[in-house]
Amino acid sequence: MPALPTSPVVFGAVLESVTAGSVPATPAAVSIGSIPLSDSLAWIAIGAFVAAMIFEWRGAVDPARYVAASAWVIFGVFWLTMAPHYYLEVKSPIETLLTVAALPLCVYTGYLLVQGRESLLLLSRAVAFMGIIYLPAETIPFVRTWLIETTAAQTHFGMELFGYSPGIEEGINGYQSRFAFDPDETVTGRTTYIIMSCTGIGSMAIFGGLIAAVKGPLKRKVAAFTLAIGVIWFLNLVRNVFIGLASPWGWFQQDFLVYIATEFMSAPADRTSYIVAHNFIAQSLSIIALLGITYLVVRILPEVLEPLEDVLYVLTGSEYDLADALGQEVRADGGSTAETASAATESEAADGPTGISESEIER
C-alpha cells in the first residue's frame, strides 16, 4: 500500500521507472512480499480509529482515547514496514525519512492521548475518515483499475498537448498504464508507468479526512472539498506528465547529477532523470503545493486549523494558535470573527454614528 496519507507531508504520487522491455529486479520483489503485512496493519489501524470515533460519538471519551492510542501505535508500525519499499525500490530520501519518523511520532501521539490530551481525538477522527476514503480505493480491484488506467489516459493526453504520443500498453503491474516510448528513439531507453500512488488519491484522502472530521456548515465543507480535490487533480496531472517525459528524454542526465544518482543512491546512470524529476523536484514542489492547498482550504473552512494545531504540537511540543496567526479565528457557530466584524460594521452603518437607527428617529 504505497501511500496511505497520514505522515506530516505526503502528496501521494509515485511513478515507477522501468527500462523499456525489462522487469525490475530484487527490490520490487522485496516490496511485493511486504504488501500483505502492510495492508493488514493498515486495516487494523483504521478499524481501531473508527472504533475510537464511535466511542467518542457515544460519549465514552476515556475508552475512545485508549483505543485511539492503540490505533496510532499500530499505524506507526505500518509506516515502518513501508520504509524498505521507499528506500530500496522508490529510492526516495524524503519518503524514507517520513516512514521511519512516523513510528516515534505515532507512538508519541498515542502517549499524549493516554495522558489525557482529548483534542487529539479530532485528529484521530480525521485519520479514520482518510482511511475510509483511501483503503477501498486501494483494495477494491475494479476501483483500483479504474483509477490507475484513467490517470494513465489523462497523463497521455497531457503528453499529447506537448507533442508526444507514445501510446499506452500494459505495464508490469498488469494495468494499461505504461507509456510505450520506443527505447531506440529516446535518450535513456527508459519509460514510466502509472501505479496507484500516481492517482493523487492519497492527497485527496488527506483533505477529505480533515474536512469530514471537523464541524462546520455543510456548504463551506463542500466548497473546501471541491477546491482541494480540483487543485490536487490538476497538479497531480502536471507532475505525471513532467516525470513521464523527463525520464525517457533524459532532461536531467547532466554529469554531476548522474554522479550523485550512481554514487550516493546506487541507481543506474540512465535512471538519473527519473530520480531527479520525481524524487527531488516533484516531491519538493509537492510539499509547497500541499501547504498552498492547505492555506486555500483554511480560508474557506478555518475549522481545519484545529487538527493541524495538534499536528504541530506533536511535532514540536509547543502550542500554536494558527487561527490567530492567520487572522481568522473560528466562532462557536462555525463562522469566523471576520464575518462577525463585517456584520457589526454593516449594523453600525445602518444605525448611524450615534447608534440610533433611522426608524427610531422617525418615531
Side-chain angles (χ1 to χ4, degrees):
M1 195 170 96
L4 184 61
T6 198
S7 54
V9 181
V10 178
F11 198 71
V14 177
L15 279 169
E16 293 292 342
S17 178
V18 296
T19 303
S22 70
V23 178
T26 310
V30 173
S31 173
I32 292 172
S34 68
I35 287 179
L37 173 61
S38 298
D39 279 347
S40 298
L41 289 171
W43 275 110
I44 293 171
I46 296 304
F49 279 123
V50 171
M53 181 171 61
I54 294 172
F55 276 122
E56 183 187 6
W57 280 345
R58 295 178 64 86
V61 176
D62 287 340
R65 286 192 297 107
Y66 288 107
V67 173
S70 300
W72 279 105
V73 173
I74 297 170
F75 208 39
V77 175
F78 155 74
W79 279 111
L80 186 62
T81 65
M82 295 304 301
H85 166 73
Y86 289 115
Y87 179 73
L88 296 173
E89 185 176 355
V90 181
K91 296 186 182 300
S92 170
I94 294 176
E95 289 174 308
T96 301
L97 289 174
L98 287 174
T99 53
V100 172
L103 178 59
L105 288 173
C106 287
V107 170
Y108 180 56
T109 303
Y111 169 78
L112 291 174
L113 277 163
V114 171
Q115 292 299 306
R117 191 176 177 90
E118 294 181 10
S119 63
L120 284 169
L121 286 174
L122 176 57
L123 182 60
S124 302
R125 187 161 70 244
V127 176
F129 281 116
M130 292 176 196
I132 291 172
I133 295 170
Y134 184 87
L135 285 181
E138 168 70 24
T139 57
I140 298 175
F142 80 88
V143 177
R144 183 184 180 92
T145 299
W146 181 83
L147 283 173
I148 291 174
E149 295 188 350
T150 299
T151 301
Q154 293 174 347
T155 302
H156 189 272
F157 176 76
M159 291 179 176
E160 290 180 323
L161 296 179
F162 291 94
Y164 299 91
S165 185
I168 300 176
E169 61 187 11
E170 184 176 310
I172 63 171
N173 57 358
Y175 303 102
Q176 291 294 322
S177 63
R178 184 177 183 273
F179 304 113
F181 285 103
D182 187 339
D184 295 327
E185 295 181 359
T186 58
V187 173
T188 65
R190 302 182 73 90
T191 188
T192 56
Y193 64 94
I194 299 295
I195 62 174
M196 185 63 176
S197 300
C198 306
T199 65
I201 187 65
S203 299
M204 294 177 187
I206 289 177
F207 287 98
L210 287 171
I211 292 168
V214 300
K215 295 180 179 179
L218 180 60
K219 182 178 179 179
R220 287 198 287 112
K221 293 179 75 169
V222 170
F225 179 78
T226 302
L227 173 68
I229 298 305
V231 174
I232 290 169
W233 172 82
F234 176 75
L235 294 180
N236 187 67
L237 179 61
V238 170
R239 182 183 48 184
N240 286 345
V241 172
F242 166 64
I243 299 171
L245 294 178
S247 179
W249 295 106
W251 290 356
F252 303 103
Q253 292 298 128
Q254 289 78 18
D255 290 343
F256 76 99
L257 293 175
V258 172
Y259 176 79
I260 293 174
T262 56
E263 295 298 321
F264 295 99
M265 304 184 72
S266 302
D270 58 4
R271 202 174 186 233
T272 299
S273 286
Y274 169 79
I275 290 175
V276 173
H278 176 269
N279 294 5
F280 294 101
I281 296 177
Q283 287 187 351
S284 298
L285 292 177
S286 292
I287 296 173
I288 298 173
L290 186 64
L291 294 174
I293 296 169
T294 301
Y295 178 78
L296 294 175
V297 169
V298 164
R299 302 308 296 181
I300 299 173
L301 191 67
E303 291 84 351
V304 169
L305 290 173
E306 187 176 346
L308 296 181
E309 289 170 350
D310 270 322
V311 170
L312 289 177
Y313 180 82
V314 171
L315 292 174
T316 67
S318 300
E319 300 284 0
Y320 291 87
D321 188 345
L322 295 178
D324 182 63
L326 294 174
Q328 190 164 353
E329 296 182 14
V330 182
R331 296 199 319 256
D333 63 356
S336 66
T337 54
E339 295 171 355
T340 303
S342 177
T345 301
E346 292 175 0
S347 176
E348 289 175 3
D351 290 347
T354 63
I356 303 174
S357 67
E358 293 179 359
S359 61
E360 290 176 332
I361 292 176
E362 290 176 352
R363 291 198 300 270

